[in-house]
């Protein structure tokens, strides 16, 4: 156990900074043995501070202080601790010159300035800048930056930083320099610099006002053919943001850099976005359709931050969802406009209900605006991002698109260049629309996923249909009692023929019911027969619905609901009911109605093929576990497998015909139509091979051998790896590695296919992957694709009855905690729901957590997750 326990930081303790920094002049001297950082800070007292502090206290971590001067004079006896620098009795305004020495080559936590594949790069969000120099490292201190970088020209010909380049030149000993100037004030977390041997791919975007913006993408030479899609995606995002939100880019240059070693997906540093290579590099040979879609979304997300995050930023880290939730909502809108809105919604909600709802029900549950944290890196969560986006979506639903746009325009105009709060965002929406959103703010303040308990009745003589809705939200840590939420419930009614029923005198067939009380009753008249309700259309709120649908009703909604999302949802509910009924012994055979529903899906060529591919996928094991009390993973898996085997064997002819009908000819193109056809083919193939179908095996072997795109190649590989065909599995894995062993991003997928497969990914195989020459403990992607994929996707082996999977994860967390605590803490997440499982699994997971918490040198990252998980 740690000698001293890390203490929480509370939102209620927020105070404006005692000092402000107006300008920052940085000079980096980069060497192989380390880096010398010169900083000149123009500091002044904050007139809006609560108190006038005599002393200046700066943040700093793992720094060697070489020099400290105030207005040109050496500072005598500064107080230096492990994480702070204090200078006593400072004047009201002054220049502070600081020189620090750091060792980026030994920086394994990948925060601040570090080296990756021979290049220098930075990651400063949330608190990485303090690892570069002493600073007021908080988001409400915004300054203008000028950065000079000096390095060996031969080794580091490309030197980048935020803003626009203003000077460059040669130095002695084969060194050179470049100076960058950023005219816009920004917090320190948005600072970035990069130095390396990189090639440049360029393009251009002309803004709506006629300005030409130079687009530059920097990659290692081996990746020069993987830039086109990211640049195309960037231009789409820039055009979309002008059209939909009226936001134009504000610098002369926009740059993207691809980095192999990166803790996150990407970072929106002003004018210099740094990306995890796996989230930005793509070519048809090396990236799947899913990767293309992800890149398009992430590039858009980081670009949209230029306004929702950079020009207007968050006052403190409790307001993180102000920028992330709003920007996720914006990138979801963008992705829906670029492809199928229904499929985009299905994919987003499927992840939300499986993972974020679990987070809301666990020991790490927190509001969208948290009340406290120990380590802010632990709060880059699905609640902040995905649920935060759902909260913004609900405002959009309540206000409508026009008033929401007026609200966003007001928000940007009112707070441009400022650091603000979620309250400021909601207030702008109120002021623009005239709506009172006081109660709605509870979505930011209360944790947990609300339940809507719905009952209905039909009065035949009066032709009246009644809905009764009761909302309640379970207790979460620190919040035993919840006040009613303001919930927009989009719904419709279907008559016996599957037609939409008018709900008002104007003939509208869909309404948004605003739920603000614990209990509501709604009545609809003029109905000739009892209707079937279509509830929570397009998932209009992040809630759970409790309604006694019959299987016949779910079949009916699958076939007739005009809302695409609810058609998919009805299929998921039907399949879940069938699987869980077999688990508890209520059924011993698969319900013919589910087989009939799947047969209809496979034969109806009028349906969106991408949506059919999603509807063919049974609810995942993780979702089924969350729907169970005292979950016995092996038994749930067996029930799900029985349903899958019955569907695939009974419908093998239909699966083969659907596969054949959707084969694509000609060269690969990333279009919604082609991607949908490939997704449907691979779904059919996966179902066939999973049950050992010989025709499926032959098709998978041919597709693997003849594939002209990574989508088809990896789809066939997954099908073979997840099949009982052991020889074909091993042969295909060997051939795949032999072909792609020199491409790190492709090999990441090779790792994940194995570690995430219940057929191939037993613990022994996963342990061997950690010893593979291509595995690298310093690379977060490799760690995620082996250890993370095993714990998050391969639930059969992770939750082995003997506890071996749990012990394995505990060993890896302890191993990583000393070098990269941020990644170690994220790997601990699968253990946080230990109370959800059967007693023998629960005891095993708790034992592993207790071993971790006993470590005397445990990082505060892992300590926060594990201590909260074990707390009663």
């Amino acid at each position: 156990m740690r000698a001293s326990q890390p203490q929480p930081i509370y939102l209620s303790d927020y105070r404006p900074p005692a000092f402000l920094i107006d300008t920052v002049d940085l000079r980096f001297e980069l060497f192989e043995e380390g880096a010398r950082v010169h900083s000149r800070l123009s500091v002044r007292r904050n007139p809006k501070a609560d108190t006038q502090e005599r002393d200046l206290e700066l943040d700093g971590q793992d720094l060697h202080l070489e020099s400290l001067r105030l207005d040109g004079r050496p500072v005598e006896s500064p107080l230096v601790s492990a994480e702070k620098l204090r200078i006593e009795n400072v004047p009201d305004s002054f220049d502070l010159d600081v020189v620090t020495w750091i060792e980026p080559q030994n920086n394994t936590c990948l925060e601040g300035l570090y080296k990756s594949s021979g290049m220098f790069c930075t990651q400063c969000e949330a608190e990485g800048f303090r690892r570069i120099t002493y600073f007021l490292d908080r988001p409400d201190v915004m300054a203008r930056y000028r950065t000079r970088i000096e390095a060996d020209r031969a080794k580091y010909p490309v030197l980048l930083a935020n803003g626009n380049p203003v000077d460059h030149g040669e130095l002695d000993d084969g060194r050179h320099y470049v100076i960058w100037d950023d005219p816009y004030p920004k917090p320190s977390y948005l600072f970035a610099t990069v130095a390396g041997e990189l090639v440049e791919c360029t393009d251009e975007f002309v803004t709506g006002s006629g300005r030409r913006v130079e687009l530059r993408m920097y990659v290692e030479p081996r990746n020069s053919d993987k830039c086109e899609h990211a640049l195309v995606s960037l231009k789409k995002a820039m055009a979309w943001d002008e059209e939909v939100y009226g936001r134009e880019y504000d610098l002369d240059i926009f740059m993207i850099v691809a980095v192999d070693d990166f803790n996150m997906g990407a970072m929106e540093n002003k004018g210099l976005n740094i990306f995890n290579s796996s989230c930005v590099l793509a070519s048809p040979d090396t990236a799947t359709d899913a990767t293309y879609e992800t890149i398009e979304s992430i590039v858009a997300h980081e670009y949209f931050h230029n306004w929702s995050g950079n020009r207007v930023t968050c006052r403190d880290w409790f307001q993180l969802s102000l920028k992330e939730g709003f920007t996720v909502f914006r990138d979801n809108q963008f992705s829906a406009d670029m492809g199928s809105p229904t499929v985009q919604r299905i994919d987003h909600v499927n992840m939300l209900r499986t993972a974020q709802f679990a987070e809301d029900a666990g020991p790490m549950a927190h509001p969208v605006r948290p009340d406290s944290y120990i380590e802010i890196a632990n709060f880059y969560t699905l609640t902040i991002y995905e649920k935060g986006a759902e909260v913004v979506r609900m405002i959009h639903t309540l206000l409508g698109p026009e008033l929401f746009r007026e609200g966003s325009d007001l928000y940007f105009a009112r707070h441009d260049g400022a650091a603000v709060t979620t309250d400021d965002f909601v207030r702008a929406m109120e002021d623009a629309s005239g709506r009172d959103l006081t109660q709605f703010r509870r979505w930011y303040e209360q944790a947990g996923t609300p339940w809507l308990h719905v009952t209905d009745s039909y009065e035949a003589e009066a032709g009246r249909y009644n809905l009764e809705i009761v909302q309640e939200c379970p207790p979460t840590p620190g919040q035993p009692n919840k006040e009613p939420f303001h919930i927009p419930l989009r719904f419709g009614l279907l008559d016996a023929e599957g037609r939409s029923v008018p709900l008002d005198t104007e003939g509208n067939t869909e309404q948004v019911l605003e739920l603000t009380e614990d209990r509501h009753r709604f009545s609809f008249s003029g109905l000739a027969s009892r209707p079937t309700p279509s509830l929570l259309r397009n998932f209009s709120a992040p809630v759970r619905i409790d309604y006694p649908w019959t299987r016949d009703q779910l079949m009916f909604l699958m076939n007739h609901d005009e809302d695409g999302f609810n058609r998919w949802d009805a299929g998921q509910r039907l399949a879940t009911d069938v699987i869980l009924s077999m688990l508890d012994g209520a059924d011993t055979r698969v319900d013919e109605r589910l087989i009939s529903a799947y047969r209809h899906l496979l034969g109806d060529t009028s349906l969106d093929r991408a949506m059919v591919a999603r509807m063919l996928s049974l609810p995942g094991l993780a979702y089924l576990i969350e729907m169970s009390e005292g979950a016995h993973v092996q038994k749930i898996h067996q029930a799900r497998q029985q349903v899958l085997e019955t569907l695939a064997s009974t419908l093998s002819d239909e699966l083969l015909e659907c596969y054949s009908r959707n084969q694509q000819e000609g060269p690969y193109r990333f279009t919604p139509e082609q991607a949908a056809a490939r997704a449907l083919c691979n779904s059919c193939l996966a179902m066939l091979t999973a049950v050992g179908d010989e025709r499926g095996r032959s098709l998978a072997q041919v597709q693997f051998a003849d594939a002209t795109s990574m989508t088809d190649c990896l789809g066939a590989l997954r099908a073979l790896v997840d099949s009982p065909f052991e020889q074909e599995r091993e042969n295909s894995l060997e051939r795949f590695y032999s072909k792609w062993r020199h491409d790190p991003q492709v090999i990441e997928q090779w790792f994940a296919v194995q570690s995430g497969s219940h057929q191939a990914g037993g613990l022994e195989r996963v342990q061997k992957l950690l010893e593979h020459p291509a595995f690298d403990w310093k690379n977060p992607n490799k760690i995620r694709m082996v250890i993370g994929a095993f714990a998050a996707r391969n639930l059969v082996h992770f939750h082995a009855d003997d506890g071996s999977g749990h012990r394995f994860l505990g060993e890896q967390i302890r191993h990583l905690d000393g070098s990269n605590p941020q990644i170690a803490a994220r790997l601990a997440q699968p253990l946080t729901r230990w109370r959800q499982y059967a007693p023998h699994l629960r005891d095993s997971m708790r034992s592993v957590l207790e071993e971790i918490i006993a470590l005397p040198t445990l990082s505060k990252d892992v300590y926060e997750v594990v201590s909260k998980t074990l707390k009663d």
Side-chain angles (χ1 to χ4, degrees):
M1 181 72 71
R2 291 174 55 114
S4 61
Q5 309 311 324
Q7 297 303 305
I9 298 169
Y10 295 96
L11 171 60
S12 58
D13 290 338
Y14 171 82
R15 299 293 182 272
F19 294 87
L20 299 175
I21 300 174
D22 292 321
T23 61
V24 180
D25 281 293
L26 292 170
R27 177 184 166 212
F28 288 86
E29 296 181 271
L30 304 179
F31 305 98
E32 297 309 296
E33 65 274 15
R36 182 167 288 108
V37 183
H38 307 254
S39 66
R40 169 167 286 187
L41 314 179
S42 177
V43 186
R44 61 183 171 89
R45 293 188 186 277
N46 182 3
K48 297 181 180 179
D50 294 346
T51 60
Q52 294 299 306
E53 299 288 340
R54 295 173 54 207
D55 302 343
L56 172 68
E57 186 174 79
L58 302 178
D59 302 298
Q61 195 169 347
D62 295 334
L63 304 175
H64 175 67
L65 180 62
E66 292 189 340
S67 174
L68 184 65
R69 304 176 75 88
L70 193 153
D71 285 338
R73 295 185 296 275
V75 176
E76 301 295 336
S77 303
L79 303 176
V80 182
S81 64
E83 296 185 356
K84 299 289 183 182
L85 167 67
R86 178 183 287 270
I87 306 172
E88 297 178 327
N89 296 317
V90 297
D92 289 344
S93 63
F94 54 94
D95 288 338
L96 186 68
D97 290 285
V98 185
V99 181
T100 56
W101 176 262
I102 56 178
E103 296 182 351
Q105 73 278 12
N106 297 324
N107 182 351
T108 60
C109 70
L110 310 186
E111 297 176 78
L113 181 66
Y114 65 94
K115 292 195 77 173
S116 170
S117 301
M119 78 171 82
F120 288 92
C121 59
T122 54
Q123 171 56 32
C124 293
E125 188 177 355
E127 297 177 338
F129 194 76
R130 65 189 62 190
R131 293 177 178 271
I132 295 173
T133 188
Y134 288 101
F135 201 76
L136 291 172
D137 193 13
R138 46 189 289 173
D140 55 355
V141 174
M142 303 177 70
R144 290 186 297 277
Y145 285 68
R146 188 177 180 90
T147 306
R148 175 183 170 119
I149 314 142
E150 302 174 6
D152 184 284
R153 174 177 282 282
K155 294 180 179 178
Y156 308 102
V158 175
L159 306 176
L160 308 174
N162 310 87
N164 298 314
V166 294
D167 195 13
H168 63 90
E170 302 300 319
L171 300 170
D172 294 337
D173 300 323
R175 296 170 65 81
H176 70 133
Y177 73 89
V178 178
I179 298 176
W180 295 79
D181 184 77
D182 186 353
Y184 293 97
K186 63 174 179 284
S188 54
Y189 81 85
L190 290 173
F191 172 79
T193 189
V194 172
E197 186 176 357
L198 304 168
V199 296
E200 178 185 271
C201 301
T202 63
D203 208 327
E204 183 182 74
F205 180 79
V206 180
T207 69
S209 64
R211 279 194 316 109
R212 295 185 179 277
V213 178
E214 187 178 352
L215 310 180
R216 301 180 185 175
M217 184 168 172
Y218 294 93
V219 298
E220 295 180 52
R222 60 182 169 83
N223 293 321
S224 61
D225 62 338
K226 300 179 182 178
C227 300
E228 181 182 4
H229 178 63
L231 290 171
V232 169
S233 300
L234 175 58
K235 291 196 292 184
K236 287 181 180 179
M238 296 175 83
W240 184 91
D241 210 19
E242 289 188 10
E243 178 183 351
V244 177
Y245 280 89
R247 302 295 109 193
E248 186 174 294
Y249 187 61
D250 49 8
L251 292 172
D252 300 331
I253 301 172
F254 188 93
M255 296 174 287
I256 290 174
V257 180
V259 177
D260 283 351
D261 302 316
F262 204 67
N263 281 342
M264 299 184 178
M267 181 59 211
E268 70 269 17
N269 316 297
K270 180 71 177 183
L272 177 57
N273 286 188
I274 299 180
F275 276 72
N276 188 317
S277 296
S278 66
C279 297
V280 74
L281 300 176
S283 68
D285 289 343
T286 62
T288 64
D289 291 331
T291 302
Y292 270 77
E293 291 168 2
T294 298
I295 289 171
E296 185 176 73
S297 174
I298 295 178
V299 167
H301 179 96
E302 304 307 328
Y303 173 75
F304 296 154
H305 266 313
N306 186 60
W307 279 93
S308 51
N310 296 2
R311 289 284 288 264
V312 183
T313 195
C314 47
R315 184 196 71 180
D316 53 70
W317 291 120
F318 298 100
Q319 319 296 329
L320 181 58
S321 195
L322 173 74
K323 72 184 186 75
E324 296 301 346
F326 186 20
T327 305
V328 170
F329 171 68
R330 276 154 46 77
D331 83 55
N332 284 344
Q333 285 183 296
F334 169 78
S335 295
D337 287 348
M338 296 301 108
S340 165
T342 298
V343 170
Q344 194 277 338
R345 193 71 182 130
I346 289 170
D347 290 345
H348 182 75
V349 173
N350 195 23
M351 177 270 296
L352 188 85
R353 294 200 305 199
T354 300
Q356 194 281 319
F357 280 15
E359 188 171 274
D360 255 351
M364 289 293 288
H366 57 274
V368 172
R369 186 187 64 199
D371 299 318
S372 67
Y373 62 81
I374 292 176
E375 171 52 59
I376 185 57
N378 287 332
F379 284 80
Y380 284 74
T381 61
L382 294 171
T383 298
I384 298 295
Y385 281 69
E386 311 302 333
K387 186 176 180 179
E390 293 300 308
V391 172
V392 176
R393 181 182 292 273
M394 287 189 287
I395 296 176
H396 187 276
T397 298
L398 291 169
L399 270 57
E402 292 80 13
L403 287 176
F404 183 87
R405 168 62 190 273
E406 290 183 26
S408 69
D409 285 349
L410 179 60
Y411 169 70
F412 289 128
R414 181 181 284 175
H415 301 297
D416 190 10
V420 298
T421 68
T422 55
D423 279 337
D424 293 313
F425 177 79
V426 176
R427 191 173 298 111
M429 294 295 168
E430 288 178 316
D431 292 347
S433 66
R435 290 289 305 263
D436 182 356
L437 298 175
T438 300
Q439 183 179 354
F440 185 85
R441 285 177 170 83
R442 290 174 185 165
W443 282 104
Y444 287 100
E445 300 160 358
Q446 297 185 154
T449 304
W451 276 92
L452 297 184
H453 303 285
V454 183
T455 56
D456 60 353
S457 60
Y458 177 66
E459 303 170 41
E461 291 186 5
R464 182 183 300 113
Y465 176 75
N466 306 303
L467 269 180
E468 288 207 14
I469 304 173
V470 176
Q471 66 159 295
E472 59 98 13
C473 187
T476 53
Q479 295 184 337
N481 302 305
K482 308 295 174 68
E483 295 296 321
F485 289 86
H486 185 174
I487 301 172
L489 176 68
R490 190 183 301 275
F491 96 113
L493 298 174
L494 279 67
D495 67 16
E497 303 301 319
R499 296 184 297 258
S500 295
V501 175
L503 301 176
D504 55 31
T505 56
E506 297 178 0
N508 293 310
T509 58
E510 189 173 84
Q511 280 189 9
V512 175
L513 306 177
E514 296 193 26
L515 312 180
T516 56
E517 305 295 334
D518 288 328
R519 182 181 299 269
H520 285 271
R521 180 183 174 90
F522 302 94
S523 296
F524 305 90
S525 302
L527 281 73
S529 61
R530 185 187 185 103
T532 299
S534 172
L535 302 171
L536 202 66
R537 284 186 162 178
N538 206 37
F539 201 71
S540 59
V543 300
R544 296 182 188 269
I545 292 284
D546 170 31
Y547 175 82
W549 278 293
T550 67
R551 291 184 182 178
D552 284 336
Q553 284 180 311
L554 293 172
M555 281 277 296
F556 183 78
L557 290 170
M558 280 183 72
N559 292 328
H560 297 292
D561 201 327
E562 65 182 27
D563 184 83
F565 173 83
N566 271 15
R567 293 183 75 165
W568 169 82
D569 185 53
Q572 293 289 291
R573 291 179 184 275
L574 176 60
T576 297
D577 189 51
V578 170
I579 293 169
L580 295 183
S581 68
M582 299 188 72
L583 177 67
D584 62 21
D587 288 334
T588 57
R589 299 180 61 186
V590 176
D591 193 321
E592 286 292 332
R593 285 170 289 192
L594 183 64
I595 299 172
S596 175
Y598 271 62
R599 181 178 286 113
H600 176 76
L601 284 174
L602 290 166
D604 189 345
T605 57
S606 67
L607 297 175
D608 178 347
R609 291 180 291 188
M611 190 174 80
V612 173
R614 271 64 173 183
M615 294 184 76
L616 286 176
S617 296
L618 289 173
L621 190 53
Y623 177 76
L624 295 169
I625 289 170
E626 287 301 317
M627 299 298 290
S628 308
E629 291 293 333
H632 193 302
V633 177
Q634 308 302 322
K635 292 180 179 179
I636 298 173
H637 170 69
Q638 290 166 8
R640 185 181 185 276
Q641 281 298 108
Q642 184 178 347
V643 172
L644 175 60
E645 290 170 5
T646 300
L647 290 170
S649 57
T650 305
L651 301 174
S652 60
D653 289 341
E654 288 88 343
L655 288 165
L656 287 165
E657 198 281 327
C658 185
Y659 177 90
S660 176
R661 186 173 67 241
N662 287 283
Q663 285 294 294
Q664 298 291 293
E665 296 182 358
Y668 173 92
R669 289 187 301 122
F670 175 62
T671 63
E673 296 76 21
Q674 276 202 13
R678 285 187 288 267
L680 185 50
C681 282
N682 284 325
S683 293
C684 293
L685 191 62
M687 290 183 70
L688 288 165
T689 55
V691 298
D693 186 278
E694 291 292 336
R695 295 173 296 177
R697 173 171 65 171
S698 297
L699 287 174
Q701 288 178 296
V702 170
Q703 180 172 311
F704 181 77
D706 297 344
T708 58
S709 72
M710 183 53 67
T711 303
D712 286 341
C713 180
L714 204 57
L717 179 66
R718 284 198 184 101
L720 291 168
V721 169
D722 290 339
S723 78
F725 304 121
E726 184 174 354
Q727 182 177 351
E728 288 78 0
R729 177 197 312 145
E730 300 307 321
N731 288 343
S732 60
L733 285 169
E734 183 178 346
R735 289 170 59 192
F736 189 93
Y737 179 78
S738 178
K739 180 176 182 180
W740 296 107
R741 63 184 182 277
H742 298 301
D743 192 307
Q745 282 74 54
V746 177
I747 293 305
E748 288 167 11
Q749 298 303 315
W750 180 78
F751 278 128
V753 164
Q754 297 173 77
S755 58
S757 169
H758 75 271
Q759 287 280 15
L763 183 56
E764 183 178 354
R765 181 186 289 267
V766 174
Q767 290 170 324
K768 288 181 178 178
L769 290 176
L770 294 181
E771 300 171 359
H772 194 279
F775 183 80
D776 182 359
W777 280 104
K778 294 181 181 179
N779 182 268
N781 287 352
K782 300 294 194 302
I783 295 168
R784 281 187 282 258
M785 293 303 178
V786 177
I787 304 169
F790 172 73
R793 302 180 204 168
N794 194 349
L795 301 181
V796 174
H797 291 291
F798 175 59
H799 292 297
D801 285 337
D802 63 2
S804 57
H806 303 152
R807 291 192 297 274
F808 167 77
L809 181 61
E811 291 167 5
Q812 311 319 314
I813 292 168
R814 294 195 297 272
H815 173 76
L816 281 163
D817 188 51
S819 57
N820 194 328
Q822 192 176 124
I823 296 298
R826 290 176 187 168
L827 287 178
Q829 293 299 324
L831 297 170
T832 61
R833 293 282 282 139
W834 61 276
R835 290 179 174 87
Q836 179 74 14
Y837 293 85
H840 68 292
L841 298 176
R842 192 162 57 230
D843 292 344
S844 170
M845 297 169 82
R846 182 177 59 193
S847 176
V848 169
L849 289 163
E850 289 171 344
E851 289 179 4
I852 294 172
I853 200 71
L855 289 175
T857 58
L858 193 64
S859 70
K860 64 179 182 179
D861 305 62
V862 176
Y863 172 82
E864 179 171 29
V865 175
V866 177
S867 63
K868 288 182 176 179
T869 298
L870 288 171
K871 187 176 181 180
D872 290 335

